[in-house]
Amino acid sequence: MNKHERLLSVITRPVKVFFSNVPIVKDMSINYAHREIKKLLEDSCSYYELSRTHSTFYLSSELISGVRTDVWYDTGGVRIPCFSGVLVLNAEEGSFITVGGIPNLLAAGDIYLWEAGKKIIYSHKNTVMLGFNIVPKSMLKNQDLNMWSEI
């Protein structure tokens, strides 16, 4: 397990985000990011009229760096009730992500959540993010459950 995989495996623990012993996001802990993602999920479930009391959602994440700007990405999942998103760790000034045709400026510490299956385009290749997917437990059949944590 490399340093980045260890970082991603502690998503629910209250630790600071570090990369080569240099904080990427000032004073942002993984625990804080986890809580903010959970709030965005709650808002999204309300918007899409999904029951949080009858559905348990799970989160997986991965480090995204060195993206291509000449292609578009699909973050997985086909639609609601699956969600995708990013926690921006480092972005050049003026960087943006286009999600489903809507551009959003990126800055370190920003967290975006969207309905899965959207077309994603990045403007700058040096953007570093923690990408994540959120799905209900019912959709985790044939998945490695060690890659998912309850949110």
Side-chain angles (χ1 to χ4, degrees):
M1 181 181 290
N2 69 33
K3 175 172 43 178
H4 301 298
E5 289 170 333
R6 282 193 306 273
L7 170 70
L8 301 179
S9 70
V10 297
I11 190 82
T12 60
R13 296 188 189 142
V15 296
K16 301 252 183 211
V17 180
F18 287 92
F19 180 75
S20 302
N21 297 324
V22 177
I24 297 175
V25 182
K26 273 193 287 188
D27 300 323
M28 172 153 323
S29 70
I30 292 293
N31 191 42
Y32 172 79
H34 189 265
R35 285 193 316 263
E36 292 301 308
I37 292 168
K38 188 173 183 175
K39 286 179 193 173
L40 289 171
L41 174 62
E42 306 252 339
D43 291 345
S44 296
C45 284
S46 177
Y47 177 82
Y48 289 105
E49 299 179 354
L50 299 173
S51 172
R52 283 286 281 142
T53 56
H54 294 97
S55 296
T56 303
F57 284 85
Y58 283 77
L59 175 131
S60 71
S61 59
E62 66 180 329
L63 186 66
I64 300 172
S65 63
V67 297
R68 291 182 52 187
T69 59
D70 61 335
V71 299
W72 61 270
Y73 292 83
D74 175 1
T75 55
V78 291
R79 63 188 182 289
I80 295 304
C82 299
F83 299 93
S84 298
V86 293
L87 161 60
V88 182
L89 302 176
N90 189 19
E92 296 176 29
E93 189 172 336
S95 295
F96 61 90
I97 182 174
T98 302
V99 179
I102 301 170
N104 299 278
L105 282 174
L106 296 177
D110 288 348
I111 301 174
Y112 291 99
L113 178 74
W114 58 82
E115 177 184 348
K118 299 283 186 188
K119 182 177 175 180
I120 311 300
I121 301 171
Y122 298 101
S123 67
H124 290 73
K125 63 182 177 181
N126 295 328
T127 305
V128 180
M129 299 164 286
L130 186 64
F132 56 89
N133 293 302
I134 300 174
V135 300
K137 185 177 183 178
S138 63
M139 298 185 80
L140 289 178
K141 293 180 178 115
N142 301 321
Q143 292 281 328
D144 179 359
L145 297 180
N146 292 319
M147 301 299 293
W148 298 87
S149 65
E150 187 175 335
I151 185 164

